[in-house]
Amino acid sequence: MNVPDRPHTPQHAYLFADPAAHSLSPQMHRAAFAHAGIDGEYTARRVGAAGLPEAVAGLRQPGVLGANLSLPHKESVPALLDDLTPAARAIGAVNTVIHSGGRLRGDNTDAPGLLAALADADAPTGGLSVVLGAGGAARAAVYALRQAGHDVLVVNRTHARAQALAAELGGRAAWPETAPWSAVTLLVNASSAGLDAPDDSPLPTFPPLDPRALVYDMVYRPAETRLLRDARAAGLRAENGLGMLAHQARLAFTAWTGADVPVAVFLEALKVAEATGDPAP
């Protein structure tokens, strides 16, 4: 007796963010699905704060692998999940939700993704590291750098938030005007300053850093932010956030699928997307 084939359902993963149109994550994950031979689809969705509970509830459906979270959801989504990894619980922010059997687990791949990107960029390991910002991305950065043994200073326009972050995750807080900039060998922008705004900077007056310093901007669109231009004008090495984006995406993809796709696949997809100006649907 011939048994008809069961209908095949592709696997789905999402990005929930507001805004979402700038994201290059769909291009990366589609390339990873193709490389791994998995019938999968990744979609960037603009989801506001009010719509997040409904969007997250939809991740429990069959055929859904999970989702990435970006601004402004990384700190609010944990309350909607069933469980958190130890890192996500310590950081207090989630950028990856993993669906398994109707349950949702939150993880944070930003932290290891940042460390991998900094290693690729041969970032200095001595001296003082400064993290700009106090949101979910900054929390991941401070956690990662502290875990790696860095001396971390948190600088944010709202000083009270910098103090709270440093008190919780380690390091110290400083005002932008009083930070010991000349001792800084690693500057990480974990704020949204510069996102789709090439003339905006988290440091309108660029400070005099240690000549060995690396400036790492998590923002990747535009590829050349004002912060990076100012750093290079000062004779410093500077990198945008594409490397971190690729590394954190690879870790999320492995968590969803079990497939270990080389980071080069993600980086090549980013290179093609940047060259063609391909927008995320």
Side-chain angles (χ1 to χ4, degrees):
M1 183 174 83
N2 292 329
V3 178
D5 292 337
R6 293 182 179 179
H8 177 71
T9 303
Q11 303 295 296
H12 291 274
Y14 299 92
L15 168 70
F16 299 153
D18 187 12
H22 70 284
S23 177
L24 299 179
S25 291
Q27 292 87 330
M28 287 192 298
H29 286 288
R30 289 168 188 168
F33 279 130
H35 182 90
I38 297 172
D39 185 4
E41 185 60 56
Y42 185 104
T43 306
R45 289 179 51 191
R46 183 175 184 178
V47 176
L52 185 63
E54 181 179 359
V56 170
L59 299 178
R60 300 180 187 274
Q61 298 177 16
V64 176
L65 297 168
N68 290 132
L69 286 302
S70 192
L71 286 168
H73 304 311
K74 294 181 181 183
E75 294 174 88
S76 56
V77 75
L80 304 173
L81 306 177
D82 301 305
D83 189 21
L84 301 176
T85 63
R89 184 173 292 108
I91 294 168
V94 164
N95 79 315
T96 300
V97 177
I98 303 140
H99 174 223
S100 178
R103 291 182 61 82
L104 301 178
R105 190 175 206 213
D107 195 6
N108 192 301
T109 65
D110 280 337
L114 173 63
L115 291 182
L118 291 176
D120 288 346
D122 194 24
T125 56
L128 179 65
S129 297
V130 166
V131 173
L132 303 176
R139 295 182 66 87
V142 172
Y143 173 86
L145 293 173
R146 291 287 294 163
Q147 289 288 304
H150 289 245
D151 181 15
V152 179
L153 194 67
V154 183
V155 175
N156 189 58
R157 291 172 181 173
T158 304
H159 187 62
R161 293 195 67 196
Q163 289 179 308
L165 194 163
E168 186 175 349
L169 294 179
R172 297 165 285 136
W175 297 93
E177 298 80 9
T178 59
W181 294 110
S182 62
V184 174
T185 56
L186 176 62
L187 175 65
V188 176
N189 177 35
S191 76
S192 60
L195 178 62
D196 288 331
D199 293 325
D200 190 16
S201 173
L203 294 172
T205 301
F206 192 81
L209 307 185
D210 186 297
R212 301 169 294 164
L214 171 70
V215 176
Y216 194 89
D217 196 338
M218 288 187 183
V219 171
Y220 60 87
R221 274 199 167 174
E224 186 80 356
T225 62
R226 178 180 166 188
L227 180 68
L228 297 182
R229 293 197 306 271
D230 288 347
R232 293 192 178 104
L236 303 175
R237 294 187 300 131
E239 298 281 345
N240 67 24
L242 286 176
M244 176 183 171
L245 181 68
H247 280 289
Q248 65 80 25
R250 174 180 174 271
L251 293 169
F253 189 85
T254 300
W256 292 330
T257 67
D260 188 6
V261 175
V263 72
V265 172
F266 296 85
L267 289 168
E268 180 61 24
L270 290 175
K271 180 179 177 181
V272 171
E274 285 286 88
T276 61
D278 185 18

